[in-house]
Amino acid sequence: MISMAAGFRIAACGVLLLSGVLVTSGAHAQAALDLLTVTGGEEGAQTYSVSLQVLLFMTALSVIPALLITMTSFTRIIIVLAILRQGLGTQQTPSNQVMLGIALFLTMFIMAPVGDRVYQDAITPYVAEELAPMQALQAASEPVREFMLAHTRETDLAMFASLGGHEPFQDTADVPFTLLLPAFVTSELKTAFQIGFLLLIPFLIIDLVVASVLMSMGMVMLSPLIISLPFKIMLFVLVDGWSLVMTTLAGSFFL
């Protein structure tokens, strides 16, 4: 058993230790708060501390997947690949992981020119401290805006402008990003389904022929998909389908 005096000594040591932790934590918290500062500059410019910039960057990481999907060629590619797999009737082959990997690296290939411009116009000057954070962000957004405008239908822009109550824009530079983004996504969805429709036609013809042959032979209990699957795979391999699909997807952005 611990004596009463020993218990008091242990309690006193605990209080002192807790006090030291609280004081130290308060000092660190004060130092952290001092690091999160915004300093005013000339002509209303603001300079953010490095810690605040890191905090903002870490917060932005949570929305990068959404930006990747909606601001690049990723949406068109993944939808076309999904329709292609559905047309082949191969169920989960290629797997979702393989399709996502193909779509991701093909997106990197297509977006490489845009990424080079962002690196040269925004990242390099920002690292060299020639541009402020907001100026670098503005410089980085210009190549992305040009890419999105080049692949956005005017009808989609007009539709969202009408929904938002905007007047017709005299120049594409006047289009706000909040309007450009949904118009770009809508255009990408339309283009992806158009390409997917063309991909499905030969597979549909094979399914119809196989179903007609089975019906004429009285084999109504046999699923046509079982018979048509090898023929569709053989046709896709003979015409070098993967190269055609990749060439079509990449060429649809470079034309």
Side-chain angles (χ1 to χ4, degrees):
M1 296 293 291
I2 299 175
S3 63
M4 186 68 69
F8 280 120
R9 286 197 296 270
I10 293 174
C13 291
V15 171
L16 291 176
L17 179 60
L18 180 60
S19 301
V21 169
L22 292 176
V23 171
T24 305
S25 300
H28 283 296
Q30 182 64 35
L33 291 176
D34 291 339
L35 292 175
L36 302 178
T37 58
V38 180
T39 305
E42 298 179 357
E43 300 180 358
Q46 293 180 336
T47 302
Y48 300 89
S49 63
V50 176
S51 299
L52 186 57
Q53 294 179 29
V54 172
L55 177 62
L56 295 175
F57 176 74
M58 297 300 294
T59 304
L61 287 178
S62 61
V63 299
I64 285 181
L67 296 178
L68 173 66
I69 293 173
T70 56
M71 295 174 59
T72 64
S73 58
F74 185 87
T75 300
R76 183 187 304 185
I77 296 170
I78 195 64
I79 290 177
V80 171
L81 293 179
I83 294 176
L84 173 62
R85 186 176 66 178
Q86 186 72 22
L88 283 171
T90 54
Q91 301 301 326
Q92 296 300 319
T93 305
S95 64
N96 292 332
Q97 291 83 355
V98 173
M99 291 180 59
L100 287 173
I102 294 172
L104 180 60
F105 284 102
L106 190 56
T107 299
M108 293 172 61
F109 170 75
I110 294 172
M111 300 298 296
V114 179
D116 291 339
R117 288 188 55 192
V118 171
Y119 181 79
Q120 295 174 3
D121 298 343
I123 298 179
T124 301
Y126 175 71
V127 173
E129 298 183 355
E130 297 175 0
L131 290 178
M134 297 307 297
Q135 293 175 337
L137 182 62
Q138 180 65 27
S141 65
E142 289 303 321
V144 179
R145 278 180 57 90
E146 293 179 7
F147 173 83
M148 295 172 67
L149 284 170
H151 298 93
T152 303
R153 292 177 172 84
E154 295 183 0
T155 54
D156 294 328
L157 277 176
M159 178 187 67
F160 282 99
S162 176
L163 290 174
H166 296 279
E167 296 294 332
F169 298 102
Q170 302 297 328
D171 190 4
T172 55
D174 300 330
V175 179
F177 187 80
T178 54
L179 189 149
L180 175 60
L181 182 58
F184 172 75
V185 174
T186 304
S187 296
E188 287 295 284
L189 291 175
K190 290 180 180 179
T191 305
F193 277 93
Q194 289 175 355
I195 298 175
F197 171 76
L198 296 176
L199 284 175
L200 287 177
I201 291 178
F203 302 133
L204 178 61
I205 294 175
I206 293 177
D207 286 333
L208 290 175
V209 171
V210 171
S212 300
V213 172
L214 292 178
M215 286 290 291
S216 64
M217 297 175 62
M219 304 174 65
V220 294
M221 300 301 295
L222 182 62
S223 174
L225 295 177
I226 299 177
I227 306 300
S228 63
L229 178 59
F231 291 99
K232 290 190 288 187
I233 294 178
M234 181 182 65
L235 173 65
F236 192 70
V237 172
L238 289 177
V239 300
D240 198 9
W242 285 114
S243 296
L244 291 176
V245 171
M246 299 301 174
T247 303
T248 301
L249 286 173
S252 64
F253 288 97
F254 289 113
L255 294 178

